[in-house]
Amino acid sequence: MKIAFTSCMNFEAGPGGDQRVWNRIAQEQPDYLFLLGDQIYMDFFPHLEEPRQWSDAYFRQAMTDKYTAQWNTPGFKELFAAMRDRQGPQGGVYGTWDDHDFAWNNASGSQVSATKKGISRELFARFMQIDPPVEGIYYSIPLSHAGERIGRAIFLDTRWYSQEPGDEKRLLGEAQFKFLEHELQQEQGLVLLCAGMPIRATGNGWMRYRDDYARLRQLIYMRNIVFLSGDIHENAFLPPAGATKMFEVISSGAFVTKYKLVGKRENFGILDYTPERTDIKLYDIHGLEHHNVIDNATFEHQEIR
């Protein structure tokens, strides 16, 4: 089973034909494509948070136009269509959102009006062609290898229920935590947690929410977990820390610049699972950047140099 994962594509960062990353991903022949947030950018420096002031009608039109432009980008359009043709237990396209495709930079759900949240959810579901049965966009899918079910990927929503950061502030919300607990109880195989907001790989992640982060750690205590995320316009591989057995793997910057005009990105990751091992390769614009192998029996890893 091979999963390609990436995040952060701002079609305004250059001509659509420059998005070569999708052709590179297609060459890997993945079974799944996971898009982990910031599929579009409602705002970008130096115009951060401008959508906060827009009318609902203008917000809807701007978001629709941005999705339409990205979804019609050569390479991405072909890859998305090809992966959608495989949709089901053996493959397909799945994902979640982060701040820039939810509303605006660093937006928490408590800051965004109910109408704008509804518009975001409607358009995300339409273009991604998924239909989560709950508020927000959290859901899970079964994962298969060689025709056999091997586990599940759980997609979390770190925006819809969130409040502004603080030790006792809410990130996931009670309903989503109960969903996550149930999903973990039901699964004894491979578990991939997927979210737009990283945990330890940035100062703007889950650790700003002390209580919810502690609750997550309690739920996954001594569970073999691979956490996939984006957001930071960099690739990163973080081994388990503390009392968890969770690897955090970030691939961010499919088509975006690190800063306003410089630092062009072409980042993506490949998770290649066999019963014996899980290979995780992170690619940047120059080629293979990191390669780590997780032994599925011991859940220990080795970096390949």
Side-chain angles (χ1 to χ4, degrees), residues 237 247 280 291-295 300-305:
F237 181 94
F247 290 90
I280 298 177
H291 182 190
N292 287 271
V293 177
I294 301 172
D295 184 295
E300 295 178 352
H301 84 287
Q302 178 181 5
E303 182 178 1
I304 307 298
R305 297 184 180 275

Side-chain angles (χ1 to χ4, degrees), residues 105-134:
N105 184 56
N106 289 333
S108 58
S110 62
Q111 297 172 317
V112 183
S113 69
T115 51
K116 282 187 172 67
K117 288 167 72 172
I119 291 167
S120 294
R121 188 185 187 283
E122 173 195 336
L123 293 176
F124 181 92
R126 181 201 304 177
F127 282 90
M128 288 290 292
Q129 299 181 43
I130 59 175
D131 187 22
V134 293

Side-chain angles (χ1 to χ4, degrees), residues 159-176:
R159 295 295 168 182
W160 187 273
Y161 296 103
S162 67
Q163 298 173 317
E164 294 184 58
D167 286 349
E168 300 177 359
K169 298 293 186 175
R170 180 180 66 233
L171 179 61
L172 296 188
E174 188 62 29
Q176 190 171 187

Side-chain angles (χ1 to χ4, degrees), residues 7-298:
S7 64
C8 304
M9 50 257 215
N10 179 14
F11 74 93
E12 295 171 306
D18 286 352
Q19 292 193 22
R20 298 171 300 175
V21 65
W22 311 115
N23 296 327
R24 294 176 63 196
I25 291 174
Q27 291 172 4
E28 294 289 331
Q29 299 184 310
D31 302 299
Y32 297 88
L33 174 63
F34 289 177
L35 300 176
L36 301 177
D38 297 339
Q39 275 71 261
I40 59 171
Y41 276 75
M42 289 294 283
D43 62 342
F44 203 83
F45 180 84
H47 304 291
L48 297 177
E49 299 190 22
E50 283 188 357
R52 185 195 292 265
Q53 311 301 327
W54 295 348
S55 69
D56 291 348
Y58 190 86
F59 185 89
R60 175 185 290 276
Q61 189 59 57
M63 181 171 277
T64 301
D65 290 348
K66 289 174 184 289
Y67 270 120
T68 301
Q70 178 59 49
W71 258 243
N72 283 325
T73 298
F76 179 80
K77 182 178 181 179
E78 289 77 12
L79 177 62
F80 190 92
M83 299 301 297
R84 279 293 310 183
D85 285 344
R86 305 184 60 180
Q87 200 78 357
Q90 303 295 328
V93 182
Y94 301 91
T96 187
W97 57 20
D98 200 27
D99 50 346
H100 293 282
D101 49 349
F102 171 65
W104 52 78
N105 184 56
N106 289 333
S108 58
S110 62
Q111 297 172 317
V112 183
S113 69
T115 51
K116 282 187 172 67
K117 288 167 72 172
I119 291 167
S120 294
R121 188 185 187 283
E122 173 195 336
L123 293 176
F124 181 92
R126 181 201 304 177
F127 282 90
M128 288 290 292
Q129 299 181 43
I130 59 175
D131 187 22
V134 293
E135 284 188 319
I137 51 170
Y138 57 94
Y139 60 99
S140 72
I141 62 166
L143 296 172
S144 297
H145 171 72
E148 298 291 332
R149 190 181 184 284
I150 59 169
R152 74 181 66 198
I154 304 171
F155 293 86
L156 298 176
D157 185 337
T158 54
R159 295 295 168 182
W160 187 273
Y161 296 103
S162 67
Q163 298 173 317
E164 294 184 58
D167 286 349
E168 300 177 359
K169 298 293 186 175
R170 180 180 66 233
L171 179 61
L172 296 188
E174 188 62 29
Q176 190 171 187
F177 259 120
K178 289 182 177 178
F179 158 81
L180 175 57
E181 182 176 12
H182 176 266
E183 293 295 303
L184 291 173
Q185 289 174 344
Q186 298 300 309
E187 184 58 62
Q188 301 303 314
L190 173 69
V191 172
L192 304 180
L193 292 184
C194 307
M197 183 185 292
I199 296 178
R200 295 182 288 132
T202 175
N204 292 323
W206 289 55
M207 296 179 70
R208 296 178 300 166
Y209 296 85
R210 182 197 63 195
D211 291 357
D212 271 17
Y213 178 48
R215 187 172 179 180
L216 172 72
R217 288 169 60 90
Q218 184 178 29
L219 284 179
I220 65 171
Y221 179 71
M222 299 307 291
R223 288 287 302 260
N224 294 350
I225 303 281
V226 177
F227 180 90
L228 303 178
S229 189
D231 177 61
I232 61 174
H233 299 185
E234 301 282 357
N235 292 325
F237 181 94
L238 283 71
T244 76
K245 296 179 67 178
M246 179 175 66
F247 290 90
E248 181 174 3
V249 187
I250 312 294
S251 185
S252 171
F255 187 70
V256 72
T257 52
K258 179 65 174 178
Y259 305 104
K260 174 62 178 175
L261 298 174
V262 299
K264 183 178 178 181
R265 294 300 190 251
E266 200 173 301
N267 296 345
F268 68 96
I270 296 292
L271 184 153
D272 195 353
Y273 171 92
T274 65
E276 295 77 26
R277 56 189 269 177
T278 300
D279 279 64
I280 298 177
K281 298 179 179 180
L282 296 173
Y283 294 88
D284 64 12
I285 196 168
H286 304 294
L288 182 62
E289 183 181 20
H290 302 289
H291 182 190
N292 287 271
V293 177
I294 301 172
D295 184 295
N296 293 339
T298 64

